[in-house]
Amino acid sequence: MIFVLRHAERADNSPYQDDQKDVKLDFDPHLTDLGALQSQFCAQSIKKILETYNPNVKRVVYVSSPFLRCIQTVQYVNQYLGLNAIEDKMYVQTQIGEMLRSSWFQEDINKKLTQKTDPNLSQQIGLKIEEPFVQDERLIQQVYPEDKLGDFQDRFKVAYEVIAEKFLNTYNTEETVLILVTHGFGVQIVLDKFNCFRFSDMVDYCSINAFDYRPESLPDKEYPLFPKVCIRQQHDHVKQADNEFSKRKYQVAKF
């Protein structure tokens, strides 16, 4: 199975000034405490999904966008999922990173992201950070500025196909699951690829999407990379995290 997640809450979108004040790189914000909790509840939801669809899974491959909010989402999911990350690694793949719009970024910031500049990040995450998961001549490299949505769509769609192909050709999918953590637009593109995205849907923080590629689950045997869509836009766990966070905030304020 392959899971495609959006990252959890980013600090610069938090309503709390303390979260915003602590951002070290304005173009690469960290997760909030609520975001960490969202990731924890997300891991618990993934556990339940696996119990239903693929209970024999023993290990996980993590592939993340290079942005800190995605890497930290992997960190907390890994802590609470209860599966062994292969070789205690997570992989960073630039091609599934954020769209580099000139209205969002003043320059190509890839070389300045926390993943490139903080030598202690792997230790903080608890996994060895390695890049990339796959090298392939079909991959489309990011070019700044990336203002055309079509350019981003082409880049991301190819990246997902190549990553999925590498995973399926390398690992026993009965025992191994791939968790890919990216951004909202990236989630939309994957869902659109499988004809199951509606623009009326919101891609919430930690939104879970799950695709079963095992041969016995494929709806059309002639198209082995067109999987069974098991979960689409599940984010009930986000509300649970919000409620738990509010409860903790109230208890702290009370005392």
Side-chain angles (χ1 to χ4, degrees):
M1 291 182 71
I2 295 179
F3 287 81
V4 179
L5 317 178
R6 186 188 174 196
H7 60 78
E9 184 187 64
R10 50 192 284 181
D12 58 342
N13 278 355
S14 169
Y16 300 106
Q17 290 187 349
D18 286 347
D19 287 331
Q20 299 179 20
K21 182 178 64 178
D22 291 339
V23 173
K24 295 179 181 178
L25 299 174
D26 58 357
F27 50 81
D28 194 21
H30 59 276
L31 290 188
T32 62
D33 289 342
L34 173 57
L37 199 59
Q38 289 169 346
S39 304
Q40 174 184 337
F41 278 76
C42 178
Q44 294 171 1
S45 290
I46 292 173
K47 272 186 183 180
K48 293 177 182 177
I49 293 168
L50 287 173
E51 287 170 1
T52 300
Y53 290 99
N54 195 359
N56 297 320
V57 168
K58 300 175 182 176
R59 54 187 188 169
V60 58
V61 176
Y62 292 108
V63 179
S64 172
S65 156
F67 285 76
L68 182 59
R69 54 191 178 272
C70 296
I71 292 174
Q72 288 183 324
T73 300
V74 169
Q75 172 188 352
Y76 294 110
V77 168
N78 181 59
Q79 286 178 7
Y80 291 94
L81 185 57
L83 292 176
N84 294 322
I86 289 182
E87 297 180 347
D88 292 323
K89 290 180 181 178
M90 65 166 292
Y91 295 89
V92 167
Q93 192 83 34
T94 300
Q95 290 83 6
I96 62 168
E98 183 68 281
M99 185 176 179
L100 294 181
R101 284 181 168 174
S102 57
S103 58
W104 296 348
F105 305 102
Q106 296 181 346
E107 59 180 321
D108 183 350
I109 45 74
N110 269 308
K111 293 182 180 179
K112 297 183 177 182
L113 293 173
T114 307
Q115 182 247 333
K116 293 287 189 182
T117 58
D118 185 351
N120 299 315
L121 186 59
S122 282
Q123 185 175 358
Q124 296 166 17
I125 299 300
L127 293 170
K128 292 176 282 188
I129 299 175
E130 188 166 307
E131 62 173 333
F133 176 64
V134 60
Q135 291 179 317
D136 192 289
E137 61 183 13
R138 292 171 290 174
L139 289 170
I140 300 172
Q141 303 304 318
Q142 278 185 310
V143 177
Y144 178 86
E146 194 177 36
D147 288 326
K148 295 180 180 178
L149 183 58
D151 291 343
F152 172 78
Q153 289 172 327
D154 290 344
R155 185 230 320 155
F156 199 99
K157 184 177 178 181
V158 170
Y160 177 81
E161 291 171 352
V162 170
I163 290 169
E165 182 181 283
K166 166 74 178 293
F167 170 71
L168 296 171
N169 289 338
T170 305
Y171 298 101
N172 178 337
T173 54
E174 190 67 34
E175 297 182 351
T176 310
V177 65
L178 168 64
I179 296 180
L180 186 151
V181 181
T182 184
H183 308 265
F185 278 160
V187 172
Q188 290 182 20
I189 288 168
V190 175
L191 291 173
D192 189 58
K193 170 181 169 60
F194 300 130
N195 302 317
C196 58
F197 176 70
R198 295 192 298 262
F199 283 98
S200 59
D201 290 341
M202 180 177 67
V203 182
D204 204 349
Y205 287 127
C206 278
S207 172
I208 298 176
N209 304 275
F211 310 98
D212 194 343
Y213 286 84
R214 291 174 298 169
E216 65 274 16
S217 301
L218 298 178
D220 189 337
K221 305 303 181 185
E222 295 181 6
Y223 299 93
L225 293 185
F226 198 95
K228 175 183 177 182
V229 179
C230 298
I231 300 295
R232 186 184 67 81
Q233 296 288 68
Q234 179 173 314
H235 43 73
D236 295 346
H237 51 278
V238 177
K239 186 174 182 179
Q240 295 171 4
D242 292 346
N243 292 338
E244 177 64 23
F245 184 74
S246 296
K247 187 191 304 180
R248 294 181 186 182
K249 278 277 189 183
Y250 173 76
Q251 290 173 344
V252 170
K254 187 176 179 181
F255 293 101

Coordinates of all heavy atoms in Angstrom, one line a residue, residues 68 70-76 78-79 90 120-129:
L68 N 10.5 21.4 6.1 CA 10.6 21.0 7.4 C 9.3 20.5 8.0 O 9.3 19.5 8.7 CB 11.1 22.1 8.3 CG 11.3 21.8 9.8 CD1 12.3 20.7 10.0 CD2 11.7 23.1 10.6
C70 N 7.0 18.9 6.5 CA 6.8 17.5 6.0 C 7.7 16.5 6.7 O 7.3 15.4 7.1 CB 7.0 17.4 4.5 SG 5.8 18.4 3.5
I71 N 9.0 16.9 6.9 CA 9.9 16.0 7.6 C 9.5 15.8 9.0 O 9.6 14.7 9.5 CB 11.3 16.7 7.5 CG1 11.9 16.7 6.0 CG2 12.3 16.0 8.4 CD1 13.2 17.4 5.8
Q72 N 9.0 16.9 9.7 CA 8.6 16.7 11.1 C 7.3 15.9 11.1 O 7.1 15.2 12.1 CB 8.4 18.1 11.7 CG 9.7 18.8 12.0 CD 9.5 20.1 12.7 OE1 8.6 20.8 12.4 NE2 10.4 20.4 13.6
T73 N 6.5 16.0 10.1 CA 5.3 15.1 10.1 C 5.7 13.6 10.1 O 5.1 12.8 10.8 CB 4.4 15.4 8.9 OG1 3.9 16.8 9.0 CG2 3.1 14.5 8.9
V74 N 6.7 13.3 9.3 CA 7.2 12.0 9.3 C 7.7 11.6 10.6 O 7.5 10.5 11.1 CB 8.4 11.8 8.2 CG1 9.1 10.5 8.4 CG2 7.8 12.0 6.8
Q75 N 8.4 12.5 11.3 CA 9.0 12.3 12.6 C 7.9 11.8 13.6 O 8.1 10.7 14.2 CB 9.6 13.6 13.2 CG 10.0 13.5 14.6 CD 10.5 14.8 15.2 OE1 10.6 15.8 14.5 NE2 10.7 14.9 16.5
Y76 N 6.8 12.5 13.7 CA 5.8 12.1 14.7 C 5.0 10.9 14.2 O 4.6 10.1 15.1 CB 4.9 13.3 14.9 CG 5.6 14.5 15.6 CD1 5.9 15.7 15.0 CD2 6.1 14.3 16.9 CE1 6.6 16.7 15.6 CE2 6.8 15.3 17.6 CZ 7.1 16.5 16.9 OH 7.8 17.5 17.5
N78 N 6.2 8.5 12.6 CA 7.1 7.3 12.8 C 7.1 7.0 14.3 O 7.1 5.8 14.7 CB 8.5 7.7 12.3 CG 9.4 6.6 12.6 OD1 9.3 5.4 12.1 ND2 10.5 6.8 13.3
Q79 N 7.0 8.0 15.2 CA 7.1 7.7 16.6 C 5.9 6.9 17.1 O 6.0 6.1 18.0 CB 7.2 9.0 17.4 CG 8.6 9.7 17.3 CD 8.6 11.0 18.0 OE1 7.7 11.4 18.7 NE2 9.7 11.8 17.9
M90 N 14.6 8.0 6.5 CA 13.6 8.6 5.7 C 14.2 9.2 4.5 O 15.4 9.6 4.6 CB 12.8 9.6 6.5 CG 13.6 10.8 6.9 SD 12.6 12.2 7.5 CE 11.8 12.7 6.0
N120 N 22.1 18.9 12.7 CA 21.5 18.1 13.8 C 20.1 17.6 13.5 O 19.5 16.9 14.3 CB 21.5 18.9 15.1 CG 22.9 19.3 15.5 OD1 23.8 18.5 15.5 ND2 23.0 20.6 15.9
L121 N 19.6 17.9 12.3 CA 18.2 17.6 12.0 C 17.9 16.1 12.1 O 16.9 15.6 12.7 CB 17.8 18.1 10.6 CG 16.3 18.0 10.3 CD1 15.4 18.7 11.3 CD2 16.0 18.5 8.9
S122 N 18.7 15.2 11.5 CA 18.5 13.8 11.6 C 18.4 13.3 13.0 O 17.5 12.5 13.3 CB 19.7 13.0 10.9 OG 19.5 13.1 9.5
Q123 N 19.2 13.8 13.9 CA 19.2 13.4 15.3 C 17.9 13.8 15.9 O 17.3 13.1 16.7 CB 20.4 14.0 16.0 CG 20.5 13.6 17.5 CD 21.7 14.1 18.2 OE1 22.5 14.8 17.5 NE2 21.9 13.8 19.4
Q124 N 17.4 15.0 15.6 CA 16.1 15.5 16.1 C 15.0 14.7 15.6 O 14.0 14.4 16.4 CB 15.9 17.0 15.7 CG 17.0 17.9 16.3 CD 17.0 19.3 15.6 OE1 16.0 19.7 14.9 NE2 18.1 20.1 15.8
I125 N 15.0 14.3 14.4 CA 13.9 13.5 13.8 C 13.9 12.1 14.3 O 12.9 11.5 14.4 CB 14.0 13.6 12.2 CG1 13.9 15.0 11.7 CG2 13.0 12.7 11.6 CD1 12.7 15.7 12.1
G126 N 15.1 11.6 14.6 CA 15.2 10.2 15.0 C 15.3 9.2 13.8 O 15.2 8.0 14.0
L127 N 15.5 9.7 12.6 CA 15.7 8.9 11.4 C 16.9 9.5 10.6 O 17.0 10.7 10.6 CB 14.5 8.8 10.6 CG 13.2 8.1 11.1 CD1 12.0 8.4 10.2 CD2 13.4 6.6 11.2
K128 N 17.6 8.7 10.0 CA 18.7 9.2 9.1 C 18.0 9.7 7.8 O 17.2 9.1 7.2 CB 19.6 8.0 8.7 CG 20.5 7.6 9.8 CD 21.4 6.4 9.4 CE 20.6 5.1 9.4 NZ 21.4 3.9 9.2
I129 N 18.3 11.0 7.5 CA 17.7 11.6 6.4 C 18.6 11.4 5.2 O 19.8 11.7 5.2 CB 17.5 13.1 6.6 CG1 16.6 13.4 7.8 CG2 17.0 13.8 5.4 CD1 16.4 14.8 8.2

